[in-house]
Coordinates of all heavy atoms in Angstrom, one line a residue:
V17 N 25.9 -5.1 7.8 CA 27.1 -5.9 7.4 C 28.4 -5.3 8.0 O 29.2 -6.0 8.4 CB 27.1 -6.0 5.8 CG1 28.4 -6.6 5.3 CG2 26.0 -6.7 5.3
F18 N 28.4 -3.9 7.9 CA 29.7 -3.3 8.4 C 29.9 -3.6 9.9 O 30.9 -4.0 10.4 CB 29.5 -1.7 8.2 CG 30.7 -1.0 8.9 CD1 31.9 -0.9 8.3 CD2 30.5 -0.3 10.1 CE1 33.0 -0.1 8.8 CE2 31.5 0.4 10.7 CZ 32.7 0.5 10.1
L19 N 28.7 -3.5 10.7 CA 28.9 -3.8 12.1 C 29.2 -5.2 12.4 O 30.1 -5.5 13.2 CB 27.6 -3.4 12.8 CG 27.2 -1.9 12.9 CD1 25.9 -1.6 13.5 CD2 28.3 -1.2 13.6
K20 N 28.7 -6.1 11.6 CA 28.9 -7.6 11.8 C 30.3 -7.9 11.4 O 31.1 -8.6 12.2 CB 28.0 -8.4 10.9 CG 28.2 -9.9 11.1 CD 27.3 -10.6 10.2 CE 27.5 -12.2 10.4 NZ 27.9 -12.9 9.2
N21 N 30.9 -7.2 10.4 CA 32.2 -7.5 9.9 C 33.3 -6.8 10.7 O 34.5 -7.2 10.7 CB 32.4 -7.3 8.4 CG 31.7 -8.2 7.6 OD1 31.5 -9.4 7.9 ND2 31.2 -7.8 6.3
T22 N 33.0 -5.8 11.5 CA 34.0 -5.1 12.2 C 33.8 -5.3 13.7 O 34.4 -4.6 14.5 CB 33.8 -3.6 12.0 OG1 32.5 -3.1 12.3 CG2 34.1 -3.2 10.5
E23 N 33.1 -6.3 14.1 CA 32.9 -6.6 15.5 C 34.2 -6.9 16.2 O 35.1 -7.6 15.7 CB 32.0 -7.9 15.6 CG 31.6 -8.1 17.1 CD 30.5 -9.3 17.1 OE1 29.7 -9.5 16.1 OE2 30.4 -9.9 18.1
G24 N 34.5 -6.1 17.3 CA 35.9 -6.3 18.0 C 36.9 -5.6 17.3 O 38.0 -5.7 17.8
S25 N 36.7 -4.8 16.2 CA 37.8 -4.1 15.6 C 37.7 -2.6 15.9 O 36.6 -2.0 16.0 CB 37.6 -4.3 14.0 OG 38.4 -3.4 13.4
P26 N 38.8 -1.9 16.0 CA 38.8 -0.5 16.2 C 38.2 0.3 15.0 O 37.8 1.4 15.1 CB 40.3 -0.1 16.3 CG 41.0 -1.4 16.4 CD 40.1 -2.5 16.0
I27 N 38.1 -0.4 13.9 CA 37.5 0.3 12.7 C 36.0 0.6 13.0 O 35.5 1.7 12.5 CB 37.6 -0.7 11.5 CG1 39.1 -0.8 11.0 CG2 36.7 -0.1 10.3 CD1 39.2 -1.8 9.9
R28 N 35.4 -0.1 13.8 CA 34.0 0.1 14.1 C 33.7 1.5 14.8 O 32.8 2.2 14.5 CB 33.4 -1.0 15.0 CG 31.9 -0.8 15.3 CD 31.5 -1.8 16.2 NE 30.9 -2.9 15.5 CZ 30.2 -3.8 16.1 NH1 30.1 -3.9 17.4 NH2 29.6 -4.8 15.4
R29 N 34.7 1.9 15.6 CA 34.7 3.2 16.2 C 34.5 4.4 15.3 O 33.9 5.4 15.6 CB 35.9 3.4 17.1 CG 35.8 2.8 18.4 CD 36.9 3.3 19.3 NE 38.2 3.0 18.6 CZ 39.2 2.4 19.1 NH1 39.2 2.2 20.4 NH2 40.3 2.2 18.5
I30 N 35.2 4.4 14.1 CA 35.1 5.5 13.2 C 33.8 5.5 12.4 O 33.4 6.5 11.9 CB 36.3 5.5 12.3 CG1 36.3 4.3 11.3 CG2 37.6 5.7 13.1 CD1 37.4 4.5 10.2
G31 N 33.1 4.4 12.3 CA 31.8 4.3 11.6 C 32.0 4.1 10.2 O 33.1 4.2 9.6
Y32 N 30.9 3.7 9.6 CA 30.8 3.3 8.1 C 31.3 4.5 7.2 O 32.1 4.1 6.3 CB 29.5 2.8 7.8 CG 29.3 2.3 6.4 CD1 30.1 1.2 6.0 CD2 28.4 3.0 5.5 CE1 29.9 0.7 4.7 CE2 28.3 2.5 4.2 CZ 29.1 1.3 3.8 OH 28.9 0.8 2.5
Q33 N 30.8 5.6 7.4 CA 31.1 6.7 6.4 C 32.5 7.1 6.5 O 33.2 7.4 5.4 CB 30.1 8.0 6.6 CG 28.7 7.7 6.3 CD 28.4 7.1 5.0 OE1 29.1 7.5 4.0 NE2 27.5 6.1 4.9
R34 N 33.1 7.2 7.7 CA 34.5 7.6 7.8 C 35.4 6.5 7.3 O 36.4 6.7 6.7 CB 34.9 8.0 9.2 CG 34.3 9.3 9.6 CD 34.8 9.7 11.0 NE 34.1 10.9 11.4 CZ 33.6 11.1 12.6 NH1 33.5 10.1 13.5 NH2 33.0 12.3 12.9
W35 N 35.0 5.2 7.4 CA 35.7 4.1 6.9 C 35.7 4.2 5.4 O 36.7 4.0 4.7 CB 35.1 2.8 7.4 CG 35.7 1.6 6.8 CD1 36.8 1.0 7.1 CD2 35.0 0.7 5.9 NE1 37.0 -0.1 6.4 CE2 35.9 -0.4 5.7 CE3 33.7 0.6 5.3 CZ2 35.7 -1.5 4.9 CZ3 33.5 -0.4 4.4 CH2 34.4 -1.4 4.2
R36 N 34.6 4.5 4.8 CA 34.5 4.7 3.3 C 35.4 5.8 2.8 O 36.1 5.7 1.8 CB 33.1 4.9 2.9 CG 32.2 3.6 3.0 CD 30.8 3.8 2.4 NE 31.0 3.8 1.0 CZ 30.1 4.3 0.1 NH1 29.0 4.8 0.6 NH2 30.2 4.3 -1.2
R37 N 35.4 7.0 3.6 CA 36.2 8.0 3.3 C 37.7 7.6 3.3 O 38.4 7.9 2.4 CB 36.0 9.2 4.3 CG 37.0 10.4 4.0 CD 37.1 11.3 5.3 NE 37.7 10.4 6.4 CZ 37.6 10.8 7.7 NH1 37.1 11.9 8.0 NH2 38.2 10.0 8.5
N38 N 38.1 6.9 4.3 CA 39.4 6.5 4.5 C 39.9 5.5 3.2 O 41.0 5.6 2.8 CB 39.7 5.8 5.8 CG 39.7 6.7 7.0 OD1 39.6 7.9 6.7 ND2 39.7 6.1 8.1
L39 N 39.0 4.7 2.9 CA 39.2 3.8 1.8 C 39.3 4.6 0.5 O 40.3 4.3 -0.4 CB 38.0 2.8 1.5 CG 37.9 1.7 2.6 CD1 36.6 1.0 2.4 CD2 39.1 0.8 2.6
A40 N 38.6 5.6 0.3 CA 38.8 6.5 -0.9 C 40.1 7.2 -0.9 O 40.8 7.3 -1.9 CB 37.6 7.6 -1.0
V41 N 40.5 7.6 0.3 CA 41.8 8.4 0.3 C 43.0 7.3 0.0 O 43.9 7.5 -0.7 CB 42.0 8.9 1.7 CG1 43.5 9.5 1.8 CG2 41.0 10.1 1.9
A42 N 42.9 6.2 0.6 CA 43.8 5.1 0.4 C 43.9 4.7 -1.1 O 45.0 4.6 -1.7 CB 43.5 3.8 1.2
L43 N 42.7 4.6 -1.7 CA 42.8 4.2 -3.2 C 43.3 5.4 -4.0 O 44.0 5.2 -5.0 CB 41.3 3.9 -3.6 CG 40.8 2.6 -3.1 CD1 39.3 2.4 -3.5 CD2 41.6 1.4 -3.7
G44 N 43.0 6.7 -3.6 CA 43.5 7.8 -4.3 C 45.0 7.9 -4.2 O 45.7 8.5 -5.1
N45 N 45.6 7.3 -3.2 CA 47.1 7.4 -3.0 C 47.8 6.1 -3.6 O 49.0 6.0 -3.5 CB 47.4 7.5 -1.5 CG 47.2 8.9 -1.0 OD1 47.5 9.9 -1.7 ND2 46.5 8.9 0.1
G46 N 47.0 5.2 -4.1 CA 47.5 4.0 -4.6 C 47.8 4.0 -6.1 O 47.7 5.1 -6.7
P47 N 48.0 2.9 -6.7 CA 48.3 2.8 -8.2 C 47.0 3.2 -9.0 O 45.9 2.9 -8.6 CB 48.7 1.4 -8.4 CG 48.4 0.6 -7.1 CD 48.1 1.6 -6.1
A48 N 47.2 3.8 -10.1 CA 46.2 4.2 -11.0 C 45.7 3.1 -11.8 O 45.9 3.0 -13.1 CB 46.6 5.4 -11.9
D49 N 45.0 2.1 -11.2 CA 44.7 0.9 -11.8 C 43.2 1.1 -12.4 O 42.4 1.7 -11.7 CB 44.7 -0.2 -10.8 CG 44.3 -1.6 -11.4 OD1 45.2 -2.2 -12.0 OD2 43.2 -2.0 -11.2
E50 N 42.9 0.5 -13.5 CA 41.5 0.5 -14.0 C 40.5 0.0 -13.0 O 39.3 0.6 -12.9 CB 41.4 -0.2 -15.3 CG 40.2 0.0 -16.1 CD 40.0 1.5 -16.5 OE1 41.0 2.2 -16.8 OE2 38.9 2.0 -16.5
A51 N 40.8 -1.0 -12.3 CA 39.8 -1.6 -11.3 C 39.5 -0.6 -10.2 O 38.3 -0.5 -9.7 CB 40.3 -2.8 -10.7
V52 N 40.5 0.2 -9.8 CA 40.3 1.3 -8.8 C 39.4 2.4 -9.4 O 38.5 2.8 -8.7 CB 41.6 1.9 -8.3 CG1 41.4 3.0 -7.4 CG2 42.5 0.8 -7.7
F53 N 39.7 2.8 -10.7 CA 38.7 3.8 -11.2 C 37.4 3.3 -11.3 O 36.4 4.0 -11.0 CB 39.2 4.1 -12.7 CG 40.4 5.1 -12.8 CD1 41.7 4.7 -13.0 CD2 40.2 6.4 -12.6 CE1 42.7 5.7 -13.1 CE2 41.2 7.3 -12.7 CZ 42.4 6.9 -12.9
T54 N 37.2 2.1 -11.6 CA 35.8 1.5 -11.8 C 35.1 1.5 -10.4 O 33.9 1.8 -10.3 CB 35.9 0.1 -12.3 OG1 36.5 0.1 -13.7 CG2 34.6 -0.6 -12.5
A55 N 35.8 1.0 -9.4 CA 35.2 0.9 -8.0 C 34.9 2.4 -7.5 O 33.8 2.6 -6.9 CB 36.2 0.3 -7.1
L56 N 35.8 3.3 -7.7 CA 35.4 4.7 -7.3 C 34.3 5.3 -8.0 O 33.4 5.9 -7.4 CB 36.7 5.5 -7.4 CG 37.8 5.2 -6.4 CD1 39.1 6.0 -6.8 CD2 37.4 5.6 -5.0
H57 N 34.2 5.1 -9.3 CA 33.1 5.6 -10.1 C 31.8 4.9 -9.7 O 30.7 5.6 -9.6 CB 33.3 5.4 -11.6 CG 34.3 6.5 -12.2 ND1 33.8 7.8 -12.3 CD2 35.4 6.4 -12.7 CE1 34.8 8.5 -12.9 NE2 35.8 7.6 -13.1
A58 N 31.8 3.7 -9.4 CA 30.6 3.0 -9.0 C 30.1 3.4 -7.6 O 28.9 3.5 -7.3 CB 30.9 1.5 -9.0
A59 N 31.0 3.8 -6.8 CA 30.6 4.2 -5.4 C 30.2 5.6 -5.3 O 29.5 6.1 -4.4 CB 31.9 4.0 -4.5
L60 N 30.5 6.4 -6.3 CA 30.3 7.9 -6.2 C 28.7 8.3 -6.2 O 28.3 9.1 -5.3 CB 31.0 8.6 -7.4 CG 31.0 10.2 -7.3 CD1 31.6 10.7 -6.1 CD2 31.7 10.7 -8.6
P61 N 27.9 7.7 -7.0 CA 26.5 8.1 -7.0 C 25.8 8.0 -5.7 O 24.9 8.7 -5.4 CB 25.9 7.3 -8.1 CG 27.0 6.9 -8.9 CD 28.2 6.7 -8.1
S62 N 26.2 6.9 -5.0 CA 25.4 6.7 -3.7 C 26.1 7.1 -2.5 O 25.7 7.0 -1.4 CB 25.1 5.2 -3.6 OG 26.3 4.4 -3.5
A63 N 27.3 7.8 -2.6 CA 28.0 8.2 -1.5 C 27.4 9.5 -0.8 O 26.9 10.4 -1.4 CB 29.5 8.6 -2.0
E64 N 27.6 9.5 0.5 CA 27.3 10.7 1.3 C 28.2 11.9 0.9 O 29.3 11.6 0.3 CB 27.4 10.4 2.8 CG 26.6 9.3 3.4 CD 25.1 9.8 3.5 OE1 24.9 11.0 3.8 OE2 24.3 9.0 3.3
P65 N 27.8 13.1 1.0 CA 28.6 14.2 0.6 C 30.1 14.2 1.0 O 31.0 14.4 0.2 CB 28.0 15.5 1.2 CG 26.5 15.0 1.2 CD 26.6 13.6 1.6
M66 N 30.4 13.8 2.2 CA 31.8 13.8 2.7 C 32.6 12.7 2.0 O 33.7 12.9 1.6 CB 31.8 13.5 4.2 CG 33.2 13.2 4.7 SD 33.4 12.6 6.4 CE 32.6 11.0 6.3
V67 N 31.9 11.6 1.7 CA 32.6 10.5 1.1 C 32.7 10.9 -0.4 O 33.8 10.6 -1.0 CB 31.9 9.2 1.3 CG1 32.5 8.0 0.5 CG2 31.7 8.8 2.7
A68 N 31.7 11.4 -1.0 CA 31.7 11.8 -2.4 C 32.9 12.8 -2.7 O 33.5 12.7 -3.7 CB 30.4 12.4 -2.8
E69 N 33.1 13.7 -1.7 CA 34.2 14.7 -1.9 C 35.5 14.0 -1.9 O 36.4 14.3 -2.8 CB 34.2 15.7 -0.7 CG 35.3 16.7 -0.7 CD 35.3 17.6 0.5 OE1 34.2 17.6 1.2 OE2 36.4 18.2 0.8
H70 N 35.8 13.0 -1.1 CA 37.0 12.3 -1.1 C 37.1 11.3 -2.3 O 38.2 11.1 -2.8 CB 37.1 11.5 0.3 CG 37.5 12.5 1.4 ND1 36.5 13.2 2.0 CD2 38.6 12.8 2.0 CE1 37.0 13.9 2.9 NE2 38.4 13.7 2.9
I71 N 36.1 10.7 -2.8 CA 36.1 9.9 -3.9 C 36.4 10.8 -5.2 O 37.3 10.4 -6.0 CB 34.7 9.2 -4.2 CG1 34.5 8.1 -3.1 CG2 34.7 8.6 -5.6 CD1 33.1 7.5 -3.2
S72 N 35.9 12.0 -5.2 CA 36.3 12.9 -6.3 C 37.7 13.3 -6.3 O 38.4 13.4 -7.3 CB 35.3 14.2 -6.3 OG 34.0 13.8 -6.5
W73 N 38.3 13.5 -5.0 CA 39.6 13.8 -4.9 C 40.4 12.6 -5.4 O 41.4 12.8 -6.1 CB 39.9 14.1 -3.4 CG 41.4 14.2 -3.2 CD1 42.3 15.3 -3.5 CD2 42.3 13.1 -2.9 NE1 43.5 14.9 -3.2 CE2 43.6 13.5 -2.8 CE3 42.0 11.7 -2.6 CZ2 44.7 12.7 -2.5 CZ3 43.1 10.9 -2.2 CH2 44.4 11.5 -2.3
A74 N 40.1 11.4 -4.9 CA 40.8 10.2 -5.4 C 40.9 10.0 -6.9 O 41.9 9.8 -7.5 CB 40.2 9.0 -4.7
L75 N 39.7 10.3 -7.6 CA 39.7 10.2 -9.0 C 40.6 11.2 -9.6 O 41.3 10.9 -10.6 CB 38.2 10.3 -9.5 CG 37.4 9.1 -9.3 CD1 35.9 9.4 -9.5 CD2 37.8 7.9 -10.0
A76 N 40.5 12.4 -9.2 CA 41.4 13.5 -9.7 C 42.8 13.2 -9.5 O 43.6 13.4 -10.4 CB 41.0 14.8 -9.1
S77 N 43.2 12.7 -8.3 CA 44.6 12.4 -8.0 C 45.1 11.2 -8.9 O 46.2 11.3 -9.4 CB 44.7 12.0 -6.5 OG 45.9 11.6 -6.2
L78 N 44.3 10.2 -9.1 CA 44.7 9.1 -9.9 C 44.8 9.6 -11.3 O 45.8 9.1 -12.0 CB 43.7 8.0 -9.7 CG 43.7 7.3 -8.4 CD1 42.5 6.3 -8.3 CD2 44.9 6.5 -8.2
T79 N 43.9 10.3 -11.8 CA 44.0 10.8 -13.2 C 45.3 11.7 -13.4 O 45.9 11.5 -14.5 CB 42.7 11.7 -13.5 OG1 41.6 10.8 -13.3 CG2 42.8 12.2 -14.9
A80 N 45.5 12.6 -12.5 CA 46.8 13.4 -12.6 C 48.0 12.6 -12.6 O 48.9 12.8 -13.4 CB 46.8 14.5 -11.4
R81 N 48.0 11.5 -11.7 CA 49.2 10.7 -11.6 C 49.4 9.9 -12.9 O 50.4 9.7 -13.5 CB 49.1 9.8 -10.5 CG 50.3 9.0 -10.2 CD 50.5 8.3 -8.9 NE 49.7 8.9 -7.8 CZ 48.7 8.3 -7.3 NH1 48.2 7.2 -7.6 NH2 48.1 9.0 -6.2
Q82 N 48.2 9.4 -13.4 CA 48.2 8.6 -14.7 C 48.8 9.5 -15.8 O 49.6 9.1 -16.7 CB 46.9 8.1 -14.9 CG 46.8 7.1 -16.0 CD 45.4 6.5 -16.1 OE1 44.5 7.2 -16.2 NE2 45.3 5.2 -16.1
Q83 N 48.3 10.8 -16.0 CA 48.7 11.7 -17.0 C 50.2 12.0 -16.9 O 50.9 12.0 -17.8 CB 47.9 12.9 -17.1 CG 46.4 12.7 -17.4 CD 45.6 13.8 -17.3 OE1 45.8 14.8 -16.5 NE2 44.4 13.8 -17.8
G84 N 50.7 12.1 -15.7 CA 52.1 12.4 -15.4 C 52.9 11.2 -15.8 O 54.0 11.4 -16.4
E85 N 52.5 10.0 -15.5 CA 53.2 8.8 -15.9 C 53.3 8.6 -17.3 O 54.3 8.3 -17.9 CB 52.6 7.6 -15.2 CG 52.8 7.5 -13.8 CD 52.0 6.4 -13.1 OE1 51.2 5.7 -13.7 OE2 52.1 6.4 -11.9
N86 N 52.1 9.0 -18.0 CA 52.1 9.0 -19.5 C 53.1 9.9 -20.1 O 53.8 9.6 -21.0 CB 50.7 9.2 -20.0 CG 49.8 8.1 -19.7 OD1 50.2 7.0 -19.4 ND2 48.5 8.4 -19.8
R87 N 53.1 11.2 -19.5 CA 54.1 12.2 -20.1 C 55.6 11.7 -19.8 O 56.4 11.8 -20.8 CB 53.9 13.5 -19.4 CG 52.7 14.3 -19.8 CD 52.8 15.7 -19.4 NE 52.7 15.8 -17.9 CZ 51.5 16.0 -17.3 NH1 50.4 15.9 -17.9 NH2 51.5 16.0 -16.0
K88 N 55.9 11.0 -18.7 CA 57.3 10.5 -18.5 C 57.6 9.4 -19.4 O 58.7 9.4 -19.9 CB 57.4 10.0 -17.1 CG 57.4 11.2 -16.0 CD 57.6 10.6 -14.6 CE 57.5 11.7 -13.5 NZ 57.6 11.1 -12.3
T89 N 56.5 8.6 -19.7 CA 56.8 7.4 -20.6 C 57.1 7.9 -22.0 O 58.0 7.5 -22.7 CB 55.6 6.5 -20.6 OG1 55.4 5.9 -19.3 CG2 55.8 5.4 -21.5
K90 N 56.3 8.9 -22.4 CA 56.5 9.5 -23.8 C 57.8 10.1 -23.9 O 58.5 10.0 -24.9 CB 55.3 10.5 -24.1 CG 54.0 9.8 -24.4 CD 52.9 10.8 -24.6 CE 51.6 10.1 -24.8 NZ 50.5 11.1 -24.9
L91 N 58.3 10.8 -22.8 CA 59.6 11.5 -22.9 C 60.7 10.4 -22.9 O 61.6 10.6 -23.7 CB 59.8 12.3 -21.6 CG 61.2 12.9 -21.4 CD1 61.5 13.9 -22.5 CD2 61.3 13.7 -20.0
L92 N 60.6 9.4 -22.2 CA 61.6 8.4 -22.2 C 61.6 7.6 -23.6 O 62.7 7.4 -24.1 CB 61.3 7.3 -21.2 CG 61.5 7.6 -19.7 CD1 61.0 6.6 -18.7 CD2 63.0 7.9 -19.4
I93 N 60.5 7.4 -24.2 CA 60.4 6.9 -25.5 C 61.1 7.8 -26.5 O 61.9 7.3 -27.4 CB 59.0 6.5 -25.9 CG1 58.5 5.3 -25.1 CG2 58.9 6.3 -27.5 CD1 57.0 5.1 -25.3
R94 N 60.8 9.1 -26.5 CA 61.5 10.1 -27.4 C 63.0 10.0 -27.2 O 63.8 10.1 -28.1 CB 60.9 11.5 -27.1 CG 59.6 11.7 -27.8 CD 59.2 13.1 -28.0 NE 59.4 13.9 -26.8 CZ 58.5 14.1 -25.8 NH1 57.2 13.5 -26.0 NH2 58.7 14.8 -24.8
C95 N 63.4 10.0 -25.9 CA 64.8 9.9 -25.7 C 65.6 8.7 -26.2 O 66.6 8.8 -26.8 CB 65.1 10.0 -24.2 SG 64.7 11.7 -23.4
I96 N 64.8 7.6 -26.0 CA 65.4 6.3 -26.6 C 65.4 6.3 -28.1 O 66.5 6.0 -28.7 CB 64.6 5.1 -26.1 CG1 64.8 5.0 -24.6 CG2 64.9 3.8 -26.8 CD1 63.9 4.0 -23.9
E97 N 64.4 6.9 -28.7 CA 64.3 6.9 -30.2 C 65.4 7.8 -30.8 O 65.9 7.6 -31.8 CB 62.9 7.3 -30.6 CG 61.8 6.4 -30.4 CD 60.4 6.9 -30.7 OE1 60.3 8.1 -30.9 OE2 59.6 6.0 -30.8
K98 N 65.6 9.0 -30.1 CA 66.7 9.9 -30.6 C 68.1 9.6 -30.0 O 69.0 10.2 -30.4 CB 66.3 11.4 -30.1 CG 65.0 11.8 -30.8 CD 64.7 13.2 -30.4 CE 63.6 13.8 -31.0 NZ 63.3 15.2 -30.9
G99 N 68.2 8.6 -29.1 CA 69.4 8.3 -28.6 C 70.0 9.3 -27.6 O 71.2 9.4 -27.4
L100 N 69.1 10.0 -27.0 CA 69.5 11.1 -26.0 C 69.5 10.5 -24.6 O 68.8 9.6 -24.3 CB 68.6 12.2 -26.1 CG 68.4 13.0 -27.5 CD1 67.4 14.0 -27.4 CD2 69.7 13.6 -27.8
P101 N 70.3 11.1 -23.8 CA 70.3 10.6 -22.4 C 69.0 11.0 -21.7 O 68.3 12.0 -22.1 CB 71.4 11.4 -21.7 CG 71.7 12.6 -22.5 CD 71.3 12.2 -24.0
D102 N 68.6 10.1 -20.8 CA 67.3 10.4 -20.1 C 67.4 11.5 -19.0 O 68.3 11.4 -18.2 CB 66.8 9.0 -19.4 CG 65.7 9.2 -18.4 OD1 64.9 10.1 -18.7 OD2 65.6 8.4 -17.5
H103 N 66.6 12.5 -19.1 CA 66.6 13.5 -18.1 C 65.3 13.6 -17.4 O 64.9 14.6 -16.8 CB 66.9 14.9 -18.8 CG 68.3 15.0 -19.3 ND1 69.4 14.9 -18.6 CD2 68.7 14.9 -20.6 CE1 70.5 15.0 -19.4 NE2 70.0 15.0 -20.7
A104 N 64.5 12.5 -17.4 CA 63.2 12.5 -16.6 C 63.3 12.6 -15.2 O 64.1 12.1 -14.6 CB 62.3 11.4 -17.1

């Protein structure tokens, strides 16, 4: 399927595993969306070691970002509730 869908594309040169690795990195740098978490978790069990390493990185990166956003949101809520200026 990969070869058929990438016919005539430069993506074909990097191969299927590197393409999957690049997708994991792109998803890890994107928004911490539940659908992204689901897709990454689903891909992890069958991933080659190189791809699995990048999927794990992406999941960790998204989790850290999500936790950071939650902390900022909680700080903003506290500031609003107390009537204090925002220093986030």
